[in-house]
Amino acid sequence: ILLRTPRAIEIASILTSKIISPLILSLLREGWPEDWNTFWSHNSFGTTTDNNIRGGTNGDRIALAAEELGPTYVKFCQALASRPDVIPPSLAKSLESLQDNMIPTFDYDTAQFIIRTELKDILEEKELEDFVTSLEVDPIGSASIGQVYKGYVLDEPVAIKIKRRGIKELVRRDAELVRGIAVWLESIPKFGKNNNNNNK
């Protein structure tokens, strides 16, 4: 049932379009790689001007897909990026972009709306409006959970981190999906165990 939820379908769609299909196409073009480190650093698709694609290597596509999938998957890939002894170094290098170079997930108007919603019961109307309008248009940092903007309070520069809307619910659904998959995998009889039982 979990695999038929909208979130599961969304994840499957992203994995197919951003990772599986492009990598299969790359393998068909280039053949099975003898060196996986070279494979992940190879740009099989030429130069692109698509704003949704930062770079074009096979490893970059994994990083971009993780960004689109959300914070649960970004955190997992960030952990992998710190383990070049586990994954090819070129793939680890691509995943390092998830540490501090993520594409903003919401725009300036959305950032202002979130702040107004969160602080309307805390600040006076004029104070809130002065603060919101002082924010710089572009974030000074972007991560899986939210974005950091520079603003001013009483003419003093401050940094404010704005969380993505619905981030808690997204993480909860992903955790539920992962648990469901784990339970499903555990329910599959182990071939080796069954084989041993048959030999008794």
Side-chain angles (χ1 to χ4, degrees), residues 47-74:
T47 303
T48 178
T49 57
D50 189 336
N51 291 331
N52 292 323
I53 299 180
R54 182 182 61 236
T57 70
N58 293 324
D60 290 338
R61 292 179 179 276
I62 302 293
L64 288 167
E67 286 192 39
E68 193 167 341
L69 286 168
T72 303
Y73 303 90
V74 168

Side-chain angles (χ1 to χ4, degrees), residues 23-24 26-27 31-42 58-59 62 86-92:
L23 294 187
I24 289 177
S26 176
L27 290 171
W32 195 260
E34 295 182 1
D35 178 9
W36 282 99
N37 189 54
T38 300
F39 172 79
W40 292 114
S41 63
H42 182 57
N58 293 324
I62 302 293
V86 175
I87 62 175
S90 59
L91 177 55

Side-chain angles (χ1 to χ4, degrees), residues 36 48 59 72 83 100 122 126 129 148 156-157 189:
W36 282 99
T48 178
T72 303
R83 295 298 305 272
D100 54 11
I122 300 175
K126 186 178 184 308
E129 196 59 29
V148 179
E156 291 293 328

Side-chain angles (χ1 to χ4, degrees), residues 117-150:
T117 302
E118 295 292 329
L119 300 181
K120 65 181 180 180
D121 296 327
I122 300 175
L123 299 178
E124 296 292 335
E125 184 176 349
K126 186 178 184 308
E127 291 177 328
L128 177 58
E129 196 59 29
D130 288 344
F131 176 60
V132 170
T133 55
S134 76
L135 295 178
E136 295 187 352
V137 175
D138 296 320
I140 59 177
S142 183
S144 59
I145 300 297
Q147 295 164 198
V148 179
Y149 286 84
K150 182 179 179 181

Side-chain angles (χ1 to χ4, degrees), residues 10 21 25 68 71 80 89 104 147 153 172 176:
E10 178 188 13
S21 293
L25 181 59
E68 193 167 341
L80 285 179
Q147 295 164 198
V153 175
R172 186 195 65 77
E176 185 178 86

Side-chain angles (χ1 to χ4, degrees), residues 159-191:
I160 180 169
K161 184 173 184 179
I162 305 174
K163 291 183 179 180
R164 290 170 53 186
R165 299 188 70 191
I167 193 69
K168 290 183 179 180
E169 175 63 18
L170 181 62
V171 172
R172 186 195 65 77
R173 283 185 291 161
D174 283 348
E176 185 178 86
L177 183 61
V178 171
R179 282 196 298 268
I181 292 174
V183 170
W184 175 71
L185 290 174
E186 288 180 353
S187 69
I188 299 175
K190 295 181 180 179
F191 176 78

